[in-house]
Amino acid sequence: MKLDKFFQSLLLTGAVVVVINTPAKGEEVRENVQSKSSTQKVGKSALDEKVAVTDKKFANSKSPVLTPSSKKSQLLKTKSDKTSKNIRQLSEIELPATSAQMLVQSPTPTNPPNSEQRNGDQQVIPITGVKVNPTEKGVELILETSLGEKLQITNRSQGNNFIADIPNAQLRLPSGEAFVFRSEKPLTGVTEITVINQDANTVRVMVVGEAGLPQTELFDGDEGLIFGVTTTAATATQPPVTPQKPATETPQEEPAAQPNEPIELVVTGEQDGYRVPNSSTGTRTDTPLRDIPQSIQVIPQQVLRDQQVTRLDDALRNVAGVTQEFNTGPGVYYRIRGFDLANNNSLRDGLPDPGVGDLVELANVERVEVLKGPASVLFGLGNPGGSINIVTKRPLSEPFYAVDATVGSYSFYRGALDLSGPLNDSKTVLYRLNTAYRNSGSFIDSYSSENFSISPVISVAIGKRTNLNLNADYIETRDSSPGFGLPTVGTIFPNPNGKIPRNRNLTEPSDEINGTITRVGYQLEHKFSDNWSLSNAFRYGLSSYESRQTRPGSLDANLETISRSFSIFDQDLTIYTLTTNVVGKFTTGSIKHQLLFGVDLNRYINATPRFASADAASINIFNPVYGQPRDAFNFETTNKTTTDSLGIYLQDQIALTENLKLLLGARFDGFDQTSEDFSSNTETNQSNSALSPRFGIVYQPIPPISLYASYISSFTPAQGTYLFGASLATAFDPERGRQYEVGVKADLNDRLSATLAFYDLTRTNVLVTDPSTGFQIQTGEQNSRGIELSLTGEILPGWSIYAGYAYTDARITEDTTFEVGNRLPNTAYNAFNVWTSYEIQKGNLQGLGFGFGLFFVGNRAGNLENTYDVPSYVRTDAAIFYNRDRFRVGLNFKNLFDVEYFENTYFGDRVGYGQPFTVQGTISWQL
């Protein structure tokens, strides 16, 4: 299929958005007077304790009680100015002296929702704070929001519990972090009041009674939505009201049953922390993870901060089933479920980021999402092992300024700056600027590196229904004399001449790798209505890579001299990505649908302006002498591969019932690939297309449990390192993948979640590295089967955990070069990771915290021939930190017991040592 002309025309066309402004219409109050639940829409009203307004009639009665025991549930809603002008506002009613305690942690600001945030067919209202205040008859629970009149409430009872669900709201601090509210024993007869984010759209309020159902009244005040809570016990024993005191004083309130002791109000406001309930990576829509029939693991900001992670490889250490393939100094390559990741498997904010996704500085990264298994149905051409989505930070509506400074072992120095806020008074134009600089040495002799990054983002609200994000990135790296591993003989296996020290560098001190990455793009979102929206995004990315490297080869017979080669490798990777999709929600009878339709257009250019190689002088691995002359270049070439691809996809998330959901999807992919070898003046072209289906089902026997099963496939053109010259005469066939997966997702409570997955993944037409040439050849079939378990969230207040286990059996099942049954390299049968932290919640030591981590990787094959195994290891990390207001200081210890272990392998039977014991100290301020 020839797509180049079609690509050019569409690329120039861009996005055309038709803006349709539909006036919002009010909804009538809905009441269910025959059952034990009611659904209501809050109207902006004034309320007096003794006067209720219903339509245009005045009634001398008490405020309506929203309890299922009531035969009639009413919500006061102002119908006209005439009916409300004589009614006092809630702020005008004289209240008893009150004292509220709201102890809210101050998490790092992230991406707050604004007042116009929507999720599908409904506006999601941010509730920015929660308070509990004592009143004459009990307590009042205040959900602070400026849009209280738009909240919708459904209430019911369950035993002694009053439960109210608000299906169009989310708890979000002004900084954007989600939080949980809890008040223990706020009132005689009430054990606890909790307010949590039940899912992506719903806030749940629960009042737990001791001996009976609490009475709950609903008010709409200037501060937001107010629940008035009373009990029979509290009313019977209520003490006299303390006279109103000046606002500067904070008198102690006395509980009804115990007048001589202060009321116990233990209130916590906390972010989601280690648990992230939603992701868009698995569906391209904001969907609860429990509703997605595929395994997805999210590394949230709090984990990155507690571990002081600055590089992607350190972040992915937390995901069981993800292992390092090898690293080149600035870039690290990975395997997921046993299969290596192609360029196409790198995503950034949900857009393919091939070729420029390897060098990841985390200064502007909000979280890292790992989708396990094929993702071609949504994101196009990619290998079936999985995909890594980098989610970046977004502008904040309130001013925010933060600075980090880190100093560590091996001359590690890093500074980072994070600035955000509005650019105009109406806050319709927001900005965020992240920049960081790192300069560090290494435990490897002569190896040093520098990294500079800057990432500006501008967000513009074009009316109430349209938003435009403009973003850019620039990253510059320098790596001097990066090591390329050490021979297995003398490291894993004994060498009669001795053991090779792990700091040995077998390259040259003059070697250097320089790289730059540039990204520029936009994302345009428009809401046609509450049910339909359109998103259009474009990104241009360029990665320039210049390498001057000396690489070790194979050991001589004396086992102390190793051959070497020298190469000059210049590479330019360019990506143009244009994507447009439409999301719509509708119903067919009682069945709910969320439909996604989209078109992707990509151009990927992999150009090598120059590749030249020469023999370099051999070196003694025990007594190296550097700077010896090398031979003249004996091979030189230049080449380019251009891949144009078009993808059209359709997906339907179907809710047959509240607890039975289907996910159906399909994608058509077509590509045109041209490979040119300018040295030999040869050119090859190939085109292909395929339809990739996806099926999934989720059944929730009870709300906290999701049972799921899915089938998904993948399709991608082979993009390998060709053997220059003759190999281009035979183009590689496209790779295919298919996966079956079943699993269980469980919300153990509102703060702790677990996922258990079983999968069978097959990959055909596989590209592997030819051990005799270092270039790539195409083999037959590989299969990976395994089990994965993850546990994330908060065990107890202040005690969080992020853990995972993976059993992976990845093997060759068909091949003409390697033996069938051989294990895939760098893939352990067993891998386990756990990171847990505890922060003291109150007292003189409040804010002091500790972290502890174990990372286990079992034995794994070192190459496809399975001639050796890389031994297992356990690495121990630890941290101690102190948070106080806007100040944070922390010490992080990596490889606490200085264990010698091997992180990855290289071609030619070489291995790379893992990091020895290191310490890093970080000081952070938020201004």
Side-chain angles (χ1 to χ4, degrees), residues 695-706:
F695 309 100
I697 184 170
V698 177
Y699 173 63
Q700 295 158 340
I702 57 176
I705 302 295
S706 296

Side-chain angles (χ1 to χ4, degrees), residues 30-73:
R30 295 173 292 172
E31 295 186 307
N32 183 351
V33 297
Q34 297 177 347
S35 64
K36 290 190 176 184
S37 67
S38 63
T39 302
Q40 305 161 343
K41 183 174 180 180
V42 178
K44 190 72 176 178
S45 63
L47 181 65
D48 184 85
E49 183 181 2
K50 296 182 179 180
V51 181
V53 180
T54 305
D55 294 334
K56 295 185 179 181
K57 297 180 181 180
F58 289 83
N60 290 326
S61 64
K62 294 183 178 180
S63 301
V65 177
L66 295 180
T67 63
S69 60
S70 302
K71 290 295 183 180
K72 185 174 182 180
S73 178

Side-chain angles (χ1 to χ4, degrees), residues 90 262 424 431 497 577 650 660 675 791 811 819 840 859 867:
L90 184 64
N424 60 353
Y431 83 96
N497 300 294
T577 298
L650 181 67
L660 183 60
S675 300
L791 178 68
R811 298 179 178 275
E819 185 176 347
I840 298 173
N859 293 336
T867 56

